[in-house]
Amino acid sequence: MKRKLLGVIDATTYHEDLEDLVIHRSLAALPFGGRYRIIDFVLSSMVNSGIRSVAIFPKMQYRSLMDHLGSGKNWDLNRKRDGLFFFPSPIVDSDGKRIGSFENFAANMDFFYRSTQEYAIIANCNAIFNMNFRPILESHLDAKCDITEIRHQDGSSMEMYLVKTSLLIKLIETRHETGYTCMKDVVTALSNEYTICQYEYNGYAVMIDSIDSYFSTSMKLLDAKVWKQLFLKDQPIITKVKDEPPTKYIQGSLVKNAMIANGCHISGTVENSIVARGVKIGKGAVIKNCIIMQKCQIDENCYLDSVILDKDVKVEEGTYLVGTEQNPYVIRKGTKQGALMNS
């Protein structure tokens, strides 16, 4: 690809419906699929498309995001030239729903001025997909577009935009004169001087913007058809490497249609669930239709159905927790849930 792409990921996104899961972390760092974080999908798509310079613009609670990404080594972005960049947003009261906020970008204009990539992909941090951006650039050039908005096959915007880097700089610099605050403003303006194009993406893609969408999308990973659309051999989803031992299944345990990460200790029953690294499930415990995040401990004879346990949750012996597919029971990170607490 002669014309190089710059990757820009807006990680300021915030949705109140996800508060229980993002109160201590950025939405971009929300665990997904037992061993991934949501940002892994857009970042891996960029890297697999040949992008070697990626800027991430987080807002608040970004410690876990930085811990996960580190220097970018796992994505081959720890480079002497280009690589991975973090630019925390100076605007603490932004609503987190304007993807590609020009005010956030303006605080780090030197990065854009120094970038050598001719074009830029501006993307959100909360979409689950696996995309090759090269065909989008080819379509953008062939149609002589100024801005290309990526849309899903149902017509909805994926909140991703391809634009010439020089034009992006101009939009940022003239934001006060034009009134454009973000890329969406430019694309949806009734009249402007730019040629706006749409690119239809036909692959699997879901926006995570609520507990319901997070839970349902996670559960769909247990469907082999969905799994095969997301996890491609020639376009791997890359994540932070953790050296942990294999999961240990104790005699008498039972696992059906589940994703179990490394380092777990399973003595009970796990069915139609996603279990992250280092989880302990006691004898006689039954886990159905659940998302269990890293290092949770579920004691003996518990029953959990349609439950999301955030990291480091302890569920005491004999506890009974039941949610629904539309309204899963959510336990916040690091809390303890006991039998006497249930009603």
Side-chain angles (χ1 to χ4, degrees), residues 84-205:
L84 185 67
F85 301 87
F86 281 90
F87 298 112
S89 170
I91 309 172
V92 296
D93 60 346
S94 60
D95 61 14
K97 295 180 181 179
R98 297 180 299 161
I99 300 302
S101 168
F102 295 152
E103 286 296 329
N104 289 342
F105 294 164
N108 298 280
M109 285 303 295
D110 283 350
F111 170 75
F112 294 102
Y113 291 145
R114 295 173 182 175
S115 296
T116 59
Q117 293 77 15
E118 189 175 358
Y119 293 86
I121 283 281
I122 301 170
N124 65 76
C125 67
N126 61 312
I128 302 299
F129 68 100
N130 191 343
M131 185 186 304
N132 185 347
F133 291 111
R134 291 185 181 95
I136 302 172
L137 178 57
E138 293 173 2
S139 174
H140 179 89
L141 296 173
D142 290 343
K144 297 181 180 180
C145 307
D146 291 316
I147 300 172
T148 294
E149 178 186 29
I150 304 173
R151 290 180 169 268
H152 197 247
Q153 54 191 346
D154 63 4
S156 61
S157 174
M158 290 185 64
E159 298 180 344
M160 299 183 191
Y161 310 91
L162 193 153
V163 59
K164 203 165 189 176
T165 306
S166 58
L167 176 54
L168 175 59
I169 291 172
K170 178 182 176 182
L171 290 170
I172 298 169
E173 291 177 336
T174 62
R175 65 192 183 283
H176 297 306
E177 291 78 12
T178 63
Y180 297 143
T181 64
C182 60
M183 292 302 300
K184 184 178 179 180
D185 287 352
V186 184
V187 169
T188 58
L190 295 177
S191 60
N192 61 48
E193 59 186 291
Y194 306 115
T195 301
I196 310 297
C197 302
Q198 282 80 39
Y199 180 92
E200 183 179 291
Y201 175 64
N202 295 316
Y204 182 84

Side-chain angles (χ1 to χ4, degrees), residues 195-221:
T195 301
I196 310 297
C197 302
Q198 282 80 39
Y199 180 92
E200 183 179 291
Y201 175 64
N202 295 316
Y204 182 84
V206 179
M207 301 289 284
I208 304 299
D209 55 12
S210 64
I211 294 291
D212 176 52
S213 63
Y214 175 74
F215 185 75
S216 62
T217 304
S218 298
M219 290 296 101
K220 287 176 182 176
L221 289 181

Side-chain angles (χ1 to χ4, degrees), residues 244-281:
E244 291 178 312
T247 286
K248 186 175 183 180
Y249 298 92
I250 306 304
Q251 186 175 1
S253 62
L254 178 64
V255 176
K256 295 182 179 179
N257 191 40
M259 293 169 54
I260 312 290
N262 296 344
C264 296
H265 190 283
I266 311 295
S267 299
T269 298
V270 181
E271 183 176 342
N272 198 48
S273 297
I274 297 173
V275 180
R277 299 179 178 96
V279 171
K280 296 181 179 179
I281 298 177

